[in-house]
Amino acid sequence: MHYLSIAEAASLIESGGLSPVEFTEALLKRIDRLDRRVQAFITLTAEPALAAAREAERDIRRGQYRGPLHGMPFGLKDIYETAGILTSGGSAVCADHVPAQDCTVARRLREAGAILLGKLQTHEFAHGGPSFDLPWPPSRNPWDLSRFTGGSSSGSAAALAAGFVPAAMGSDTGGSIRGPASFCGITGFMPTYGMVSRAGVMPNSFTFDHCGPMARSVEDCAILLQAIAGYDPADPGSIRHEPVDFRGRLNGPLKGLRIGVLRHYWEEDIPAVPEHARALEEAVSVFRDLGASIDSCRIRPVQDGFDIKVIIAESEIFSIHQENLIRSPGKFGRDFLGRALPACLFQSADYVQALREHRRYLEDLRPVFDRFDVLLASGFGPAPRFEDYRTENFWLKSNVCTPSNTGRTPALALPCGSSSGGLPLGMQLIGRPGDDARVLQAGHAFQQATDWHLRRPPLVEGDAPPLPDLKANEPRPSLLDAAMQSHVERMARQAGLRLDERQMMILLETAPHALAMAGRMRRARGLMEQPSLVFRFD
């Protein structure tokens, strides 16, 4: 029962073959047995969930069935505000934050009859990495508990892979839905920017945040998207769009669909391990056999989109948390500090130049989507061990997911293979803005022709896993010369920061990479070039 899809469970619930109470109880029992190992939940809402399940069962028996999410358990990443329920952001800073009302997405899911099982683990404020110095330990990958789930929607992906929930919500600012989906062998969809409301969701980057569904199949993601998509005046980034039957559009033929293959993603920009490269080529062959038109194509290098996104997004998240970073930096985890603190080195000109380059980036995508309907790119995998994680790598290594945030395009992550060690391997399907239904259709066709999304991890009961040895991720003494170190310290003071010795080491370790990134953004521009963020009246 715990690996029923939304579509399967909904059919049984509607026909009376499955009780929402029975389903909820079964999942709660599984969580009770196994989550001490997986650590997917921050807050479990068992009693309210059972009460909601009983109510759903009564309504359905009375003929008041609302649709495929009625009586369906789900989990929310713990940045989605929920009335009367802790919304922590995975941080000690908000360890006591209990909102007065639901965010828009939570409200829409409840209105569809869905049942909240609890709030799921997230990297700190949907940023940072797998920090063990926070109030809640990071989630473990159900395929191998010594390995990373990806982030920041870590608990959402882990809970789905472990069979704790059939549906979850994540957020994606630079791959935070798609990375965990790839590492954990589930399906995650980042909709077009503004398609799903962010109102009441803790912000990471105003420019790049997306909210989206995570499930075990494309069909299930389409069911969830149907319930949560739609204009919301409470979100300034929300877009007006015609209603789309996302699930109804899944079964259209792929014959003639133009797919551009971004091989430079996995051959040049971020070389994939050989077994992952083979899996991606086999996925290309599947689409060819399904009748799609296949051709190689290129967009700008992954690093370009990454630089634009990081300068803008880190500036924004620093501004969001600046007051607490000044007042109590010790409440933040090591990994969050290693990402956010270097933003104090970005100047206003760096931010605006990145916005101007962002506009160029968006314009450069137009001719690509004139030629192709969908782009196929690499995802993540296989998942690394916790001991191999390095905060500094955030600045040193670009990310195959981030260009879609920079491009504001819909992007789907789904499993496309398995490593020799049995770990999931992922790929992405990317579409033009607003063409979410076509991306989902392509992904659904792939899943109808393959079984990668049906594979399950060998998760068994046992004790909580041991803590990994994280000494290698401790900040190292600065190698900067005296003049550069003095400059960094002065910029930190100007931003109001008063850092202790360790916190300053964290900043100094990553400062050169942030300054180099800003340097790459200083290029010739015309006097009249506009930034991507321009206000217009509706």
Side-chain angles (χ1 to χ4, degrees):
M1 190 184 299
H2 50 273
Y3 279 125
L4 285 173
S5 68
I6 296 174
E8 292 165 340
S11 178
L12 290 169
I13 288 171
E14 183 181 16
S15 68
L18 176 64
S19 153
V21 175
E22 177 189 12
F23 194 21
T24 301
E25 287 176 339
L27 295 178
L28 287 171
K29 287 177 182 176
R30 184 168 174 83
I31 293 164
D32 183 63
R33 286 192 296 111
L34 294 172
D35 196 42
R36 66 174 61 90
R37 309 205 76 202
V38 179
Q39 299 166 342
F41 281 86
I42 286 179
T43 302
L44 190 64
T45 54
E47 290 306 315
L50 288 169
R54 288 189 285 269
E55 181 180 356
E57 188 167 298
R58 286 195 299 269
D59 289 345
I60 293 167
R61 285 177 175 173
R62 293 171 184 155
Q64 299 170 348
Y65 183 66
R66 301 184 204 174
L69 293 181
H70 201 175
M72 192 66 56
F74 74 100
L76 283 173
K77 182 175 181 177
D78 204 25
I79 59 170
Y80 285 75
E81 294 207 325
T82 41
I85 302 168
L86 173 69
T87 303
S88 71
S91 177
V93 175
C94 289
D96 301 317
H97 175 58
V98 179
Q101 61 185 21
D102 283 342
C103 65
T104 298
V105 166
R107 175 175 55 79
R108 287 178 175 174
L109 288 169
R110 289 186 197 271
E111 288 171 352
I115 297 166
L116 179 65
L117 281 192
K119 306 297 288 296
L120 297 164
Q121 178 61 269
T122 172
H123 292 341
E124 190 167 19
F125 291 121
H127 202 38
S131 288
F132 284 82
D133 54 357
L134 298 171
W136 302 273
S139 296
R140 304 293 185 117
N141 193 318
W143 291 88
D144 180 343
L145 299 176
S146 70
R147 294 180 185 268
F148 184 31
T149 58
S152 62
S153 304
S154 51
S156 298
L160 286 160
F164 294 165
V165 292
M169 289 299 303
S171 68
D172 197 314
T173 306
S176 291
I177 287 173
R178 291 161 290 147
S182 288
F183 281 149
C184 293
I186 58 102
T187 304
F189 185 60
M190 183 185 77
T192 297
Y193 181 86
M195 180 74 69
V196 176
S197 175
R198 304 168 301 174
V201 180
M202 291 179 172
N204 179 327
S205 164
F206 307 113
T207 304
F208 298 118
D209 285 351
H210 300 66
C211 294
M214 301 174 71
R216 288 189 287 267
S217 72
V218 175
E219 182 179 22
D220 286 357
C221 284
I223 292 170
L224 286 166
L225 186 62
Q226 199 73 49
I228 61 177
Y231 176 70
D232 180 12
D235 176 3
S238 185
I239 58 173
R240 298 183 187 275
H241 56 89
E242 293 296 321
V244 179
D245 182 0
F246 294 108
R247 191 183 187 188
R249 291 272 303 273
L250 289 178
N251 292 312
L254 287 198
K255 186 172 177 59
L257 184 78
R258 301 171 300 168
I259 296 181
V261 181
L262 297 174
R263 285 191 176 86
H264 69 94
Y265 267 45
W266 70 81
E267 292 180 350
E268 303 169 26
D269 295 5
I270 306 177
V273 297
E275 57 191 356
H276 194 184
R278 286 193 296 272
L280 292 163
E281 292 297 343
E282 288 168 5
V284 172
S285 295
V286 169
F287 280 110
R288 185 177 288 112
D289 292 344
L290 288 169
S293 170
I294 307 291
D295 199 1
S296 293
C297 74
R298 300 183 71 92
I299 61 174
R300 288 173 59 168
V302 169
Q303 186 70 51
D304 284 12
F306 187 74
D307 286 351
I308 293 165
K309 180 265 174 184
V310 169
I311 291 174
I312 296 170
E314 295 309 312
S315 298
E316 291 176 349
I317 200 166
F318 182 88
S319 70
I320 291 165
H321 296 285
Q322 186 172 10
E323 183 177 344
N324 282 320
L325 287 167
I326 291 171
R327 186 171 56 228
S328 50
K331 283 192 172 184
F332 293 89
R334 178 265 192 275
D335 205 77
F336 184 94
L337 294 176
R339 297 186 183 205
L341 288 180
C344 74
L345 306 176
F346 295 142
Q347 300 180 38
S348 57
D350 299 323
Y351 181 74
V352 174
Q353 296 293 32
L355 288 169
R356 296 174 85 190
E357 192 64 24
H358 185 209
R359 191 179 189 89
R360 283 186 183 179
Y361 191 93
L362 295 171
E363 291 297 326
D364 288 346
L365 284 175
R366 290 180 184 272
V368 178
F369 284 118
D370 287 340
R371 290 182 57 209
F372 298 103
D373 302 308
V374 172
L375 305 179
L376 189 153
S378 50
F380 288 177
R385 296 183 183 277
F386 284 106
E387 286 88 348
D388 297 329
Y389 181 80
R390 302 288 182 273
T391 301
E392 189 178 12
N393 284 344
F394 170 76
W395 296 93
L396 289 172
K397 296 183 178 182
S398 52
N399 174 340
V400 293
C401 291
T402 299
S404 290
N405 297 87
T406 308
R408 295 185 168 182
T409 60
L412 175 71
L414 61 168
C416 65
S418 181
S419 74
S420 57
L423 298 173
L425 304 171
M427 71 175 184
Q428 295 181 82
L429 298 174
I430 302 162
R432 62 176 63 87
D435 209 5
D436 301 56
R438 194 190 304 269
V439 175
L440 292 168
Q441 177 197 354
H444 180 66
F446 180 83
Q447 290 190 336
Q448 294 299 104
T450 62
D451 67 353
W452 299 113
H453 66 295
L454 300 176
R455 304 192 179 194
R456 305 295 177 232
L459 188 61
V460 296
E461 289 187 62
D463 296 330
L467 289 175
D469 182 357
L470 302 175
K471 294 187 183 70
N473 196 34
E474 279 297 298
R476 298 186 298 274
S478 173
L479 298 177
L480 298 177
D481 61 42
M484 181 56 69
Q485 180 163 329
S486 177
H487 169 72
V488 172
E489 292 170 346
R490 183 172 65 255
M491 293 291 286
R493 287 195 299 273
Q494 288 178 353
L497 300 173
R498 299 294 180 267
L499 306 177
D500 63 24
E501 182 179 357
R502 185 172 184 273
Q503 293 157 2
M504 183 56 72
M505 285 176 66
I506 291 172
L507 170 57
L508 292 170
E509 177 184 55
T510 49
H513 312 312
L515 293 169
M517 188 175 284
R520 292 195 292 272
M521 204 54 57
R522 293 167 193 154
R523 54 187 72 176
R525 302 184 198 282
L527 180 68
M528 308 298 285
E529 284 195 53
Q530 295 284 319
S532 58
L533 296 184
V534 290
F535 176 81
R536 58 168 58 93
F537 289 103
D538 290 336

